[in-house]
Amino acid sequence: AEGSLRIRKSMKILICGGAGQFLKESYSKKADIQDKSALEQIFFKHKPDAVMNFCASISVGESVIDPLGYYENNVAGTINLLQIMRKYNVKYFIFSSSAAIFGNPKKIPIADNTPPEPINPYGDTKYIVEKILALSENAYGLKYVCLRYFNVCGAHESGEIGEDHDPETHLIPIILQVALDKRAKISIYGDDYETKDGTCVRDYIHVTDLATAHIKALEYIVKKNKSQSFNLGSGEGYTVKEVINASRNVTGHPIPDVMETRRTGDPAILVAGSTRAEQILGWKRKYNTIEDIVATAWKYHKAHINGYTDHYSVLNNQVNIKL
């Protein structure tokens, strides 16, 4: 994340998931939060003061097919992490939750105080962890912040860090694969929803804005010693067609699309508000338009057509990490 963390300079932060798994020291593989022995070694050696947990399996559809795997990774894995934190007296925890905990909300945009009603195993795993955190605060004095958001997207402005999933399931990278001639077309699943152009509306948050929110959340609990939850969203969202058109404008590629039937369980509109985060954390988005977000993603994907394959090679050569 960019900017300075306005807390004591000597504070050590353990980042689980995201880029936090690349350690340039003596570890020969990525640590898994389901591996308590590996977690123990990390806490014993580095003695972190706070933990940010991004680790999770995140596909709604996959969670329906394999609920046990999702509860094992997302819930049991986080419990492992919290147990080690308790052992080493680490009191600050930032949790990447999800607006999926709200299920099919009755009001849009989703307000911070909307009661959670998850409708799939993925959303339920996030909600269970939130409840575990509240109980851990009462029992052990843990202080935490839960950040709830939908679609994280975009890339670092340098063009060196971006999205690369296998298989790819996120809309913007899939659209850009068409622009790079890696796919013939982009599928749109339904154009008969009650939205401005008939396609689904979703919330999109730039990854750098998300990182900034995590830093501000940590500043908050260190300064206030108080737990809280925040929604992170645009308040408006974009239709699938709007995202495709923005990508056409940014890339200059026609990006052919094809209309498919609706997917089961796709709500028409999922958009979160961020009033509490803006008022309490002072969080403001730097990337406010879908064109700005897509432009950063395009910069990354043009430079790294094969994703992180080249990055892994560089890392192996430079820091001798076996991946």
Side-chain angles (χ1 to χ4, degrees):
E2 299 178 358
S4 60
L5 187 61
R6 295 184 296 275
I7 54 180
R8 62 182 186 273
K9 294 181 179 180
S10 61
M11 191 170 194
K12 291 184 178 180
I13 304 166
L14 173 62
I15 301 176
C16 302
Q21 293 175 333
F22 293 102
L23 302 177
K24 295 184 179 180
E25 297 188 44
S26 59
Y27 300 104
S28 61
K29 63 179 181 179
K30 298 177 187 178
D32 192 316
I33 61 172
Q34 295 186 54
D35 187 342
K36 293 187 72 173
S37 176
L39 291 176
E40 178 87 27
Q41 293 178 40
I42 291 172
F43 275 77
F44 178 78
K45 179 172 183 178
H46 296 282
K47 298 177 176 57
D49 301 294
V51 174
M52 293 184 180
N53 185 25
F54 296 83
C55 290
S57 301
I58 62 172
S59 171
V60 170
E62 185 182 52
S63 77
V64 175
I65 297 171
D66 183 24
L68 292 180
Y70 268 65
Y71 286 100
E72 180 179 35
N73 190 42
N74 296 4
V75 178
T78 304
I79 290 174
N80 286 340
L81 188 57
L82 293 172
Q83 287 176 331
I84 300 296
M85 287 178 62
R86 182 188 174 201
K87 178 176 180 179
Y88 285 86
N89 197 34
V90 180
K91 296 294 186 182
Y92 302 127
F93 189 75
I94 309 299
F95 178 55
S96 285
S97 187
S98 171
I101 68 171
F102 298 116
N104 290 314
K106 297 177 177 63
K107 293 183 179 180
I108 298 293
I110 304 169
D112 291 282
N113 60 356
T114 301
E117 295 181 8
I119 60 173
N120 53 65
Y122 166 65
D124 194 46
T125 63
K126 293 293 189 176
Y127 183 38
I128 288 174
V129 170
E130 289 202 14
K131 291 189 287 186
I132 290 172
L133 292 176
L135 295 171
S136 296
E137 179 180 28
N138 292 335
Y140 316 121
L142 174 75
K143 298 302 175 185
Y144 65 90
V145 168
C146 296
L147 298 176
R148 303 156 169 174
Y149 48 90
F150 282 115
N151 300 300
V152 184
C153 50
H156 190 270
E157 60 184 11
S158 68
E160 290 302 311
I161 305 173
E163 289 190 85
D164 180 21
H165 309 105
D166 185 18
E168 186 57 72
T169 60
H170 291 187
L171 179 60
I172 292 176
I174 289 176
I175 294 172
L176 296 182
Q177 286 178 356
V178 179
L180 291 169
D181 295 322
K182 298 182 71 175
R183 292 175 183 254
K185 60 186 181 301
I186 178 70
S187 294
I188 301 175
Y189 296 97
D191 62 350
D192 57 349
Y193 290 93
E194 294 185 7
T195 62
K196 65 179 73 175
D197 60 23
T199 62
C200 290
V201 175
R202 293 293 182 266
D203 220 337
Y204 297 90
I205 177 174
H206 194 277
V207 63
T208 300
D209 289 333
L210 181 66
T212 299
H214 278 74
I215 289 180
K216 287 185 175 293
L218 182 58
E219 291 175 346
Y220 171 82
I221 53 174
V222 170
K223 182 178 179 180
K224 301 291 187 180
N225 197 39
K226 181 180 178 181
S227 299
Q228 186 60 276
S229 61
F230 300 97
N231 289 355
L232 302 176
S234 67
E236 296 181 4
Y238 299 94
T239 69
V240 174
K241 286 185 177 179
E242 286 177 328
V243 178
I244 294 173
N245 286 332
S247 300
R248 289 170 176 149
N249 294 335
V250 169
T251 65
H253 191 283
I255 306 181
D257 62 67
V258 61
M259 192 59 59
E260 309 279 3
T261 58
R262 286 191 184 193
R263 293 180 299 193
T264 302
D266 268 350
I269 304 174
L270 288 176
V271 177
S274 55
T275 301
R276 185 184 290 168
E278 292 166 0
Q279 293 177 347
I280 296 177
L281 298 181
W283 179 68
K284 293 182 180 180
R285 292 179 296 129
K286 176 181 178 181
Y287 296 89
N288 293 301
T289 71
I290 194 63
E291 285 81 7
D292 289 342
I293 291 173
V294 171
T296 64
W298 181 234
K299 183 177 181 180
Y300 167 77
H301 286 284
K302 280 197 304 182
H304 306 283
I305 295 178
N306 296 316
Y308 274 96
T309 301
D310 294 337
H311 290 268
Y312 290 156
S313 177
V314 171
L315 282 170
N316 278 324
N317 292 332
Q318 289 184 347
V319 298
N320 195 31
I321 295 178
K322 298 177 182 178
L323 300 176

